Coordinates of all heavy atoms in Angstrom, one line a residue:
M1370 N 64.5 185.4 103.5 CA 64.3 184.0 103.4 C 63.7 183.3 104.6 O 62.8 182.6 104.5 CB 65.7 183.4 103.1 CG 65.7 181.8 103.2 SD 66.3 181.2 101.6 CE 66.3 179.5 102.0
Q1371 N 64.2 183.8 105.8 CA 63.6 183.3 107.0 C 62.1 183.7 107.2 O 61.3 183.0 107.6 CB 64.4 183.7 108.2 CG 65.7 183.1 108.3 CD 66.6 183.6 109.4 OE1 66.2 184.7 109.9 NE2 67.6 182.9 109.8
A1372 N 61.9 185.0 106.7 CA 60.5 185.5 106.8 C 59.6 184.7 105.9 O 58.5 184.4 106.3 CB 60.5 187.0 106.4
Q1373 N 60.0 184.3 104.7 CA 59.2 183.6 103.8 C 59.0 182.1 104.3 O 57.9 181.6 104.3 CB 59.9 183.5 102.4 CG 60.0 184.8 101.7 CD 60.8 184.7 100.4 OE1 61.5 183.7 100.3 NE2 60.7 185.7 99.6
L1374 N 60.0 181.6 104.9 CA 59.8 180.2 105.5 C 58.8 180.3 106.7 O 58.0 179.4 106.8 CB 61.2 179.7 105.9 CG 61.2 178.3 106.6 CD1 60.7 177.3 105.5 CD2 62.6 178.0 107.0
A1375 N 59.0 181.4 107.5 CA 58.1 181.4 108.6 C 56.7 181.6 108.1 O 55.7 181.1 108.8 CB 58.5 182.6 109.5
E1376 N 56.5 182.4 107.1 CA 55.1 182.6 106.6 C 54.5 181.3 106.1 O 53.3 181.0 106.2 CB 55.1 183.7 105.5 CG 55.2 185.1 106.0 CD 55.3 186.1 104.9 OE1 55.3 185.7 103.7 OE2 55.4 187.3 105.3
Q1377 N 55.3 180.5 105.5 CA 54.8 179.2 104.9 C 54.5 178.3 106.1 O 53.5 177.6 106.0 CB 55.9 178.6 104.0 CG 56.1 179.3 102.7 CD 57.4 178.7 102.0 OE1 58.0 177.7 102.5 NE2 57.6 179.3 100.8
M1378 N 55.2 178.3 107.1 CA 55.0 177.4 108.3 C 53.8 177.9 109.2 O 53.1 177.1 109.7 CB 56.2 177.2 109.1 CG 57.3 176.5 108.3 SD 58.9 176.3 109.3 CE 58.3 175.1 110.4
D1379 N 53.7 179.2 109.3 CA 52.7 179.7 110.2 C 52.0 180.9 109.5 O 52.6 182.0 109.4 CB 53.3 180.2 111.5 CG 52.2 180.5 112.5 OD1 51.1 180.7 112.2 OD2 52.5 180.5 113.7
P1380 N 50.8 180.8 109.0 CA 50.2 181.8 108.1 C 49.6 183.0 108.9 O 49.0 183.9 108.3 CB 49.0 181.1 107.4 CG 48.7 179.9 108.4 CD 50.0 179.6 109.0
R1381 N 49.8 183.1 110.3 CA 49.3 184.2 111.0 C 50.0 185.5 110.5 O 51.2 185.5 110.3 CB 49.6 184.0 112.5 CG 48.7 183.0 113.1 CD 49.0 182.8 114.6 NE 50.3 182.2 114.7 CZ 51.0 181.9 115.9 NH1 50.4 182.4 117.0 NH2 52.1 181.4 115.9
P1382 N 49.2 186.6 110.4 CA 49.8 187.8 109.9 C 50.9 188.4 110.9 O 50.6 188.4 112.1 CB 48.6 188.8 109.8 CG 47.5 188.1 110.5 CD 47.8 186.7 110.7
G1383 N 52.0 188.8 110.3 CA 53.0 189.5 111.1 C 53.9 188.5 111.9 O 54.9 189.0 112.4
I1384 N 53.7 187.2 111.8 CA 54.5 186.3 112.6 C 55.9 186.2 112.0 O 56.9 186.2 112.8 CB 53.9 184.9 112.7 CG1 54.6 184.0 113.7 CG2 54.0 184.2 111.3 CD1 54.4 184.4 115.1
A1385 N 56.1 186.3 110.7 CA 57.4 186.3 110.1 C 58.2 187.5 110.5 O 59.4 187.4 110.9 CB 57.2 186.4 108.5
Q1386 N 57.6 188.7 110.6 CA 58.3 189.9 111.0 C 58.7 189.8 112.4 O 59.8 190.2 112.8 CB 57.4 191.1 110.7 CG 58.1 192.4 111.0 CD 59.3 192.7 110.2 OE1 59.4 192.2 109.0 NE2 60.3 193.3 110.7
E1387 N 57.8 189.2 113.2 CA 58.2 189.0 114.6 C 59.4 188.2 114.9 O 60.2 188.4 115.7 CB 56.9 188.5 115.5 CG 55.8 189.5 115.7 CD 54.6 188.9 116.4 OE1 54.8 188.0 117.2 OE2 53.5 189.3 116.1
L1388 N 59.4 187.1 114.1 CA 60.5 186.1 114.2 C 61.8 186.8 113.7 O 62.8 186.6 114.3 CB 60.2 184.9 113.3 CG 59.1 184.0 113.9 CD1 58.8 182.9 112.9 CD2 59.6 183.4 115.2
V1389 N 61.7 187.6 112.7 CA 62.9 188.3 112.2 C 63.4 189.3 113.2 O 64.6 189.3 113.5 CB 62.6 189.0 110.8 CG1 63.8 189.9 110.4 CG2 62.4 188.0 109.8
E1390 N 62.5 190.0 113.8 CA 62.8 191.0 114.8 C 63.4 190.3 116.1 O 64.4 190.8 116.7 CB 61.7 191.8 115.2 CG 61.3 192.8 114.1 CD 60.0 193.5 114.4 OE1 59.4 193.3 115.5 OE2 59.5 194.3 113.6
A1391 N 62.8 189.1 116.5 CA 63.3 188.4 117.6 C 64.7 187.9 117.3 O 65.7 188.0 118.2 CB 62.4 187.2 117.9
K1392 N 65.0 187.4 116.1 CA 66.3 187.0 115.8 C 67.3 188.1 115.8 O 68.4 188.0 116.4 CB 66.3 186.3 114.4 CG 67.7 185.8 114.1 CD 67.7 184.9 112.9 CE 69.1 184.4 112.5 NZ 70.3 184.9 113.1
S1393 N 66.9 189.2 115.3 CA 67.8 190.4 115.3 C 68.1 190.8 116.7 O 69.3 191.1 117.1 CB 67.1 191.5 114.6 OG 67.9 192.7 114.7
R1394 N 67.1 190.8 117.6 CA 67.4 191.2 119.0 C 68.3 190.1 119.7 O 69.2 190.5 120.4 CB 66.0 191.3 119.8 CG 65.2 192.5 119.5 CD 64.1 192.7 120.5 NE 63.2 191.6 120.5 CZ 62.1 191.5 119.7 NH1 61.8 192.4 118.8 NH2 61.3 190.4 119.8
G1395 N 68.1 188.8 119.4 CA 68.9 187.8 119.9 C 70.4 188.0 119.4 O 71.3 187.8 120.2
D1396 N 70.5 188.4 118.1 CA 71.9 188.6 117.7 C 72.5 189.8 118.4 O 73.7 189.7 118.7 CB 71.9 188.9 116.2 CG 71.5 187.6 115.3 OD1 71.6 186.5 115.9 OD2 71.1 187.7 114.1
E1397 N 71.8 190.8 118.6 CA 72.3 192.0 119.3 C 72.7 191.6 120.7 O 73.7 192.1 121.2 CB 71.2 193.1 119.3 CG 71.0 193.8 118.0 CD 69.8 194.8 118.0 OE1 69.3 195.0 119.1 OE2 69.4 195.2 116.9
M1398 N 71.8 190.8 121.4 CA 72.1 190.4 122.8 C 73.4 189.6 122.8 O 74.2 189.7 123.7 CB 70.9 189.7 123.4 CG 69.8 190.6 123.6 SD 68.3 189.7 124.1 CE 68.8 189.1 125.8
E1399 N 73.6 188.7 121.8 CA 74.8 187.9 121.8 C 76.0 188.8 121.5 O 77.0 188.5 122.2 CB 74.6 186.9 120.6 CG 75.8 185.9 120.5 CD 75.6 184.9 119.4 OE1 74.7 185.0 118.6 OE2 76.5 184.1 119.2
Q1400 N 75.9 189.7 120.7 CA 77.1 190.7 120.5 C 77.4 191.4 121.8 O 78.5 191.6 122.1 CB 76.8 191.6 119.3 CG 76.8 191.0 118.0 CD 78.2 190.3 117.6 OE1 79.2 190.9 117.9 NE2 78.1 189.1 117.2
E1401 N 76.3 191.9 122.4 CA 76.6 192.6 123.7 C 77.2 191.7 124.8 O 78.1 192.1 125.5 CB 75.2 193.1 124.2 CG 75.3 194.0 125.5 CD 76.2 195.2 125.3 OE1 76.3 195.8 124.2 OE2 76.8 195.6 126.3
A1402 N 76.8 190.5 124.8 CA 77.4 189.4 125.8 C 78.9 189.2 125.4 O 79.7 189.2 126.3 CB 76.6 188.2 125.7
L1403 N 79.2 189.2 124.1 CA 80.6 189.0 123.8 C 81.4 190.2 124.2 O 82.5 190.1 124.6 CB 80.7 188.7 122.2 CG 80.2 187.4 121.7 CD1 80.2 187.3 120.2 CD2 81.2 186.3 122.3
R1404 N 80.9 191.4 123.9 CA 81.6 192.6 124.4 C 81.8 192.6 125.9 O 82.9 193.0 126.3 CB 80.8 193.9 123.9 CG 81.0 194.2 122.4 CD 80.4 195.6 122.1 NE 79.0 195.7 122.2 CZ 78.1 195.4 121.3 NH1 78.6 195.0 120.1 NH2 76.8 195.5 121.4
A1405 N 80.8 192.3 126.6 CA 80.9 192.3 128.1 C 81.9 191.2 128.5 O 82.7 191.5 129.4 CB 79.5 191.9 128.7
K1406 N 82.0 190.1 127.8 CA 82.9 189.1 128.2 C 84.3 189.6 127.9 O 85.3 189.4 128.7 CB 82.7 187.8 127.4 CG 83.7 186.6 127.7 CD 83.4 185.4 126.9 CE 84.4 184.3 127.2 NZ 84.2 183.2 126.4
Q1407 N 84.5 190.2 126.7 CA 85.8 190.8 126.4 C 86.3 191.9 127.4 O 87.5 191.9 127.9 CB 85.8 191.4 125.1 CG 85.7 190.4 123.9 CD 85.5 191.0 122.6 OE1 85.1 192.2 122.4 NE2 85.7 190.3 121.5
E1408 N 85.3 192.7 127.9 CA 85.6 193.7 128.9 C 86.0 193.0 130.3 O 86.9 193.5 130.9 CB 84.4 194.6 129.2 CG 84.2 195.5 128.0 CD 83.0 196.4 128.3 OE1 82.6 196.6 129.4 OE2 82.5 197.0 127.2
L1409 N 85.4 191.9 130.6 CA 85.7 191.2 131.8 C 87.1 190.6 131.7 O 87.9 190.6 132.7 CB 84.7 190.1 132.1 CG 83.3 190.6 132.7 CD1 82.3 189.4 132.7 CD2 83.5 191.2 134.0
V1410 N 87.4 190.0 130.6 CA 88.7 189.4 130.4 C 89.8 190.5 130.5 O 90.8 190.4 131.2 CB 88.8 188.7 129.0 CG1 90.3 188.4 128.7 CG2 87.9 187.4 129.0
K1411 N 89.6 191.7 129.9 CA 90.5 192.8 130.0 C 90.6 193.3 131.4 O 91.7 193.5 131.9 CB 90.0 193.9 129.1 CG 91.0 195.1 129.0 CD 90.5 196.2 128.1 CE 91.4 197.4 128.1 NZ 90.9 198.5 127.3
S1412 N 89.5 193.4 132.1 CA 89.6 193.8 133.6 C 90.3 192.8 134.4 O 91.2 193.2 135.3 CB 88.2 194.0 134.1 OG 87.5 195.0 133.5
R1413 N 90.1 191.6 134.1 CA 90.9 190.5 134.8 C 92.4 190.6 134.6 O 93.2 190.5 135.5 CB 90.3 189.1 134.5 CG 91.0 188.0 135.3 CD 90.4 186.6 135.0 NE 90.8 185.6 135.8 CZ 91.9 184.9 135.6 NH1 92.6 185.0 134.5 NH2 92.3 184.0 136.5
E1414 N 92.8 190.8 133.3 CA 94.2 191.0 133.0 C 94.8 192.2 133.7 O 95.9 192.2 134.2 CB 94.3 191.1 131.5 CG 94.1 189.8 130.7 CD 94.0 190.0 129.2 OE1 94.1 191.1 128.7 OE2 93.8 189.0 128.6
E1415 N 94.0 193.3 133.8 CA 94.5 194.5 134.5 C 94.6 194.2 135.9 O 95.6 194.7 136.5 CB 93.5 195.7 134.2 CG 93.5 196.2 132.8 CD 92.5 197.1 132.4 OE1 91.6 197.4 133.3 OE2 92.5 197.8 131.4
L1416 N 93.7 193.5 136.5 CA 93.8 193.2 138.0 C 95.1 192.3 138.2 O 95.8 192.5 139.2 CB 92.5 192.5 138.4 CG 91.3 193.3 138.6 CD1 90.1 192.5 138.9 CD2 91.5 194.4 139.7
V1417 N 95.4 191.4 137.3 CA 96.5 190.5 137.5 C 97.8 191.4 137.4 O 98.7 191.2 138.3 CB 96.5 189.4 136.5 CG1 97.9 188.7 136.4 CG2 95.5 188.4 136.7
E1418 N 97.8 192.3 136.5 CA 98.9 193.2 136.4 C 99.1 194.1 137.7 O 100.2 194.3 138.1 CB 98.8 194.1 135.1 CG 99.0 193.4 133.8 CD 98.7 194.3 132.6 OE1 98.6 195.5 132.8 OE2 98.7 193.7 131.5
M1419 N 98.0 194.6 138.1 CA 98.1 195.4 139.4 C 98.5 194.6 140.6 O 99.3 195.0 141.4 CB 96.7 196.0 139.7 CG 96.3 197.2 138.8 SD 94.8 198.0 139.4 CE 93.7 197.4 138.2
R1420 N 98.1 193.4 140.6 CA 98.5 192.5 141.8 C 100.0 192.2 141.6 O 100.7 192.3 142.7 CB 97.7 191.2 141.7 CG 98.3 190.1 142.7 CD 97.2 189.6 143.5 NE 97.9 188.8 144.6 CZ 97.4 187.6 145.0 NH1 96.4 187.1 144.4 NH2 98.0 187.0 146.0
Q1421 N 100.5 192.0 140.4 CA 101.9 191.8 140.3 C 102.7 193.0 140.6 O 103.8 192.9 141.3 CB 102.2 191.3 138.8 CG 101.7 189.9 138.5 CD 101.8 189.6 137.0 OE1 101.9 190.4 136.2 NE2 101.7 188.4 136.7
A1422 N 102.2 194.1 140.2 CA 102.9 195.4 140.6 C 102.9 195.6 142.1 O 103.9 196.0 142.7 CB 102.2 196.6 139.9
G1423 N 101.8 195.3 142.7 CA 101.7 195.4 144.2 C 102.7 194.5 144.9 O 103.3 194.9 145.9
D1424 N 102.8 193.2 144.4 CA 103.7 192.3 144.9 C 105.2 192.8 144.8 O 106.0 192.7 145.7 CB 103.6 190.9 144.3 CG 102.3 190.2 144.6 OD1 101.6 190.6 145.6 OD2 101.9 189.2 143.9
S1425 N 105.5 193.4 143.7 CA 106.8 193.9 143.5 C 107.1 195.1 144.4 O 108.2 195.2 145.0 CB 106.9 194.4 142.0 OG 106.9 193.3 141.1
L1426 N 106.1 195.9 144.5 CA 106.2 197.1 145.4 C 106.4 196.6 146.9 O 107.3 197.2 147.6 CB 105.0 198.0 145.4 CG 105.0 199.3 146.2 CD1 106.2 200.2 145.9 CD2 103.7 200.0 146.0
Q1427 N 105.6 195.6 147.3 CA 105.8 195.1 148.7 C 107.2 194.5 148.8 O 107.8 194.7 149.9 CB 104.7 194.0 148.9 CG 104.9 193.4 150.3 CD 103.7 192.4 150.6 OE1 102.9 192.1 149.7 NE2 103.8 191.8 151.7
A1428 N 107.7 193.8 147.9 CA 109.1 193.2 147.9 C 110.1 194.4 148.1 O 111.1 194.2 148.8 CB 109.4 192.3 146.8
A1429 N 109.9 195.4 147.3 CA 110.8 196.6 147.4 C 110.8 197.2 148.8 O 111.9 197.5 149.3 CB 110.5 197.6 146.2
V1430 N 109.6 197.5 149.3 CA 109.5 198.1 150.6 C 110.2 197.2 151.7 O 110.8 197.7 152.5 CB 108.0 198.3 150.9 CG1 107.8 198.7 152.4 CG2 107.5 199.4 150.0
E1431 N 109.9 195.9 151.5 CA 110.6 195.0 152.5 C 112.0 195.0 152.4 O 112.8 195.0 153.4 CB 110.0 193.5 152.3 CG 108.6 193.4 152.7 CD 108.0 192.0 152.4 OE1 108.7 191.2 151.7 OE2 106.8 191.7 152.7
G1432 N 112.6 195.1 151.2 CA 114.0 195.2 151.0 C 114.6 196.5 151.6 O 115.6 196.5 152.3
I1433 N 113.8 197.6 151.4 CA 114.2 198.9 152.0 C 114.2 198.8 153.6 O 115.1 199.3 154.2 CB 113.4 200.0 151.5 CG1 113.6 200.3 150.0 CG2 113.6 201.3 152.3 CD1 112.6 201.2 149.3
L1434 N 113.2 198.2 154.1 CA 113.1 198.1 155.6 C 114.3 197.3 156.1 O 114.9 197.6 157.1 CB 111.8 197.5 156.0 CG 110.6 198.4 155.8 CD1 109.3 197.6 156.1 CD2 110.7 199.6 156.7
Q1435 N 114.6 196.2 155.4 CA 115.7 195.3 155.8 C 117.0 196.1 155.7 O 117.8 196.0 156.7 CB 115.8 194.1 154.9 CG 116.9 193.1 155.2 CD 116.7 192.6 156.6 OE1 115.6 192.2 157.0 NE2 117.8 192.4 157.4
M1436 N 117.2 197.0 154.7 CA 118.4 197.8 154.6 C 118.5 198.8 155.7 O 119.5 199.0 156.3 CB 118.5 198.5 153.2 CG 118.8 197.6 152.1 SD 119.2 198.3 150.5 CE 117.8 199.4 150.3
C1437 N 117.4 199.4 156.1 CA 117.3 200.3 157.2 C 117.6 199.6 158.5 O 118.4 200.2 159.3 CB 115.9 200.9 157.3 SG 115.5 202.1 155.9
Q1438 N 117.2 198.5 158.7 CA 117.5 197.8 159.9 C 119.0 197.4 160.0 O 119.6 197.5 161.0 CB 116.6 196.4 160.0 CG 116.8 195.7 161.3 CD 116.0 194.4 161.4 OE1 115.3 194.0 160.4 NE2 115.8 193.8 162.5
T1439 N 119.5 197.0 158.8 CA 120.9 196.6 158.8 C 121.8 197.9 159.1 O 122.7 197.8 159.8 CB 121.3 196.1 157.5 OG1 120.5 194.9 157.2 CG2 122.8 195.7 157.3
L1440 N 121.4 199.0 158.5 CA 122.1 200.2 158.7 C 122.0 200.7 160.1 O 123.0 201.1 160.7 CB 121.5 201.3 157.8 CG 122.2 202.7 157.9 CD1 123.7 202.6 157.4 CD2 121.5 203.7 156.9
Q1441 N 120.8 200.5 160.7 CA 120.7 200.8 162.2 C 121.6 200.0 163.0 O 122.2 200.5 164.0 CB 119.2 200.7 162.5 CG 118.9 201.2 164.0 CD 117.4 201.1 164.3 OE1 116.7 200.3 163.7 NE2 117.0 201.7 165.3
E1442 N 121.6 198.7 162.8 CA 122.5 197.8 163.5 C 123.9 198.1 163.4 O 124.7 198.0 164.3 CB 122.2 196.4 163.1 CG 120.8 195.8 163.5 CD 120.5 194.5 162.9 OE1 121.3 193.9 162.2 OE2 119.4 194.0 163.1
F1443 N 124.3 198.5 162.2 CA 125.7 198.9 161.9 C 126.1 200.2 162.6 O 127.3 200.3 163.1 CB 125.9 199.0 160.4 CG 127.3 199.4 160.0 CD1 128.3 198.4 160.1 CD2 127.6 200.6 159.6 CE1 129.7 198.7 159.7 CE2 128.9 201.0 159.3 CZ 129.9 200.0 159.3
T1444 N 125.2 201.2 162.6 CA 125.6 202.5 163.1 C 125.3 202.6 164.6 O 125.8 203.5 165.3 CB 124.8 203.6 162.4 OG1 123.4 203.4 162.6 CG2 125.1 203.7 161.0
S1445 N 124.6 201.7 165.2 CA 124.2 201.9 166.7 C 125.5 201.8 167.6 O 125.5 202.6 168.6 CB 123.2 200.7 167.1 OG 123.7 199.5 167.0
P1446 N 126.5 201.0 167.3 CA 127.7 201.1 168.2 C 128.4 202.5 168.2 O 129.1 202.8 169.1 CB 128.6 200.0 167.7 CG 127.8 199.2 166.9 CD 126.6 199.9 166.4
F1447 N 128.2 203.2 167.1 CA 128.9 204.6 167.0 C 128.1 205.7 167.5 O 128.5 206.8 167.5 CB 129.3 204.8 165.6 CG 130.1 203.6 165.0 CD1 129.6 202.8 164.0 CD2 131.4 203.5 165.3 CE1 130.3 201.8 163.5 CE2 132.2 202.5 164.8 CZ 131.6 201.6 163.9
R1448 N 126.8 205.5 168.0 CA 126.0 206.5 168.4 C 126.3 206.7 169.9 O 126.5 205.8 170.7 CB 124.6 206.2 168.2 CG 124.1 206.1 166.8 CD 122.7 205.8 166.7 NE 122.1 206.5 165.6 CZ 120.8 206.4 165.3 NH1 120.0 205.5 165.9 NH2 120.3 207.0 164.3
S1449 N 126.0 208.0 170.3 CA 126.1 208.3 171.7 C 124.8 208.3 172.3 O 123.8 208.2 171.6 CB 126.8 209.7 171.9 OG 125.9 210.7 171.5
A1450 N 124.6 208.3 173.6 CA 123.3 208.3 174.2 C 122.5 209.5 173.9 O 121.2 209.4 174.0 CB 123.5 208.1 175.7
D1451 N 123.1 210.6 173.6 CA 122.4 211.8 173.3 C 121.8 211.9 171.8 O 121.0 212.8 171.5 CB 123.2 213.0 173.5 CG 123.7 213.2 174.9 OD1 123.0 212.6 175.9 OD2 124.8 213.7 175.2
D1452 N 122.3 211.0 170.9 CA 121.7 211.1 169.6 C 120.3 210.5 169.5 O 119.9 209.6 170.3 CB 122.6 210.2 168.7 CG 124.0 210.8 168.4 OD1 124.1 212.0 168.6 OD2 124.9 210.0 168.0
P1453 N 119.5 211.1 168.6 CA 118.1 210.6 168.5 C 118.0 209.2 167.9 O 118.7 208.8 167.3 CB 117.5 211.6 167.6 CG 118.5 212.4 166.9 CD 119.8 212.2 167.8

């Protein structure tokens, strides 16, 4: 239908086929752009998850360090000078 309309509007030979091919390429590019956008969104979601996991890990390490410090403070009066 588009090819026929193009031929009616512009009688140059092959112009209708060129228009159809250009539209097809445009449609393919649009689909590729949508796929790329979806991949970017997925990557962003994965990065957010990784950041949250990193924050949780950092909080856990800080908690462990705090417990180690508390344990050290608690046990220091019972240590002798020769203990490491």
